Amino acid sequence: MLILLFGGVVLTLTCAAIVFGWFPGKAPETGTVVAGYLGLVFFGLGVCVAAWRLLSPKAPVLLITRDGIRDTRSSWKFLPWQSVEAISTWQVRREKFLVLKISPAAMGQSAVTITGRTLTALNKMVGLEGIPISTGTLAVNADELLATCNTYLAAARARKTRPAVFPSA
């Protein structure tokens, strides 16, 4: 996040230099000034977001309970273990993702927005079937998270299939 903040500050200052004519020489053309204003707004907002995330209190981003899992970075929806069919890992370059393959009915409910349907379609295009959870910013690695989630999934399945026991009267 510090690298993004530093890069955003450099690009914001560069755009400000274009807009306010801090570079020596002839005045920039109109198109360059317009691009400078757009860059100033875009990168300025990026710096604000990066600074906010660095200064905001750290809260849990991945919540795993006996009932399900929720990644607050990408969705506020709680995903119950009953809708998870399988859990695996998927690697892109150096970053590993935990992938939750969920039932088609649950996938339809989780992708009800245009953004959700678009992201699901893009994931399928690259060969990713399920909901990815990035492990890059977590305090746990992908293999430990996979083991934890598999334990919770197995416990939820055992709880679901446990026969009811009634004492005799």
Side-chain angles (χ1 to χ4, degrees):
M1 191 59 73
L2 285 173
I3 294 170
L4 288 175
L5 182 65
F6 177 74
V9 167
V10 168
L11 290 170
T12 302
L13 288 174
T14 303
C15 291
I18 291 170
V19 168
F20 299 118
W22 295 342
F23 290 122
K26 70 176 198 163
E29 297 177 8
T30 306
T32 306
V33 173
V34 169
Y37 275 114
L38 291 174
L40 191 62
V41 170
F42 180 76
F43 295 120
L45 288 174
V47 166
C48 292
V49 168
W52 175 261
R53 287 193 177 178
L54 277 173
L55 298 175
S56 65
K58 303 297 180 227
V61 293
L62 187 63
L63 304 171
I64 303 173
T65 68
R66 57 181 272 187
D67 298 318
I69 186 169
R70 185 175 95 179
D71 186 358
T72 60
R73 297 169 295 183
S74 60
S75 172
W76 288 100
K77 292 186 85 175
F78 184 77
L79 184 63
W81 290 119
Q82 288 80 14
S83 62
V84 177
E85 293 180 352
I87 305 171
S88 62
T89 57
W90 191 63
Q91 187 165 350
V92 177
R93 296 190 182 114
R94 291 182 296 182
E95 186 173 1
K96 272 191 170 180
F97 293 86
L98 186 76
V99 180
L100 302 174
K101 184 176 183 200
I102 61 175
S103 65
M107 184 61 95
Q109 288 178 349
S110 69
V112 293
T113 64
I114 292 173
T115 306
R117 286 192 301 265
T118 304
L119 288 175
T120 301
L122 289 173
N123 286 341
K124 283 184 181 180
M125 288 174 61
V126 297
L128 179 63
E129 292 285 332
I131 298 175
I133 297 175
S134 173
T135 60
T137 60
L138 299 177
V140 63
N141 67 30
D143 297 325
E144 292 171 347
L145 183 60
L146 177 65
T148 302
C149 288
N150 278 327
T151 302
Y152 274 91
L153 180 61
R157 286 180 178 165
R159 200 174 60 230
K160 179 181 172 189
T161 59
R162 186 179 307 143
V165 178
F166 298 103
S168 60

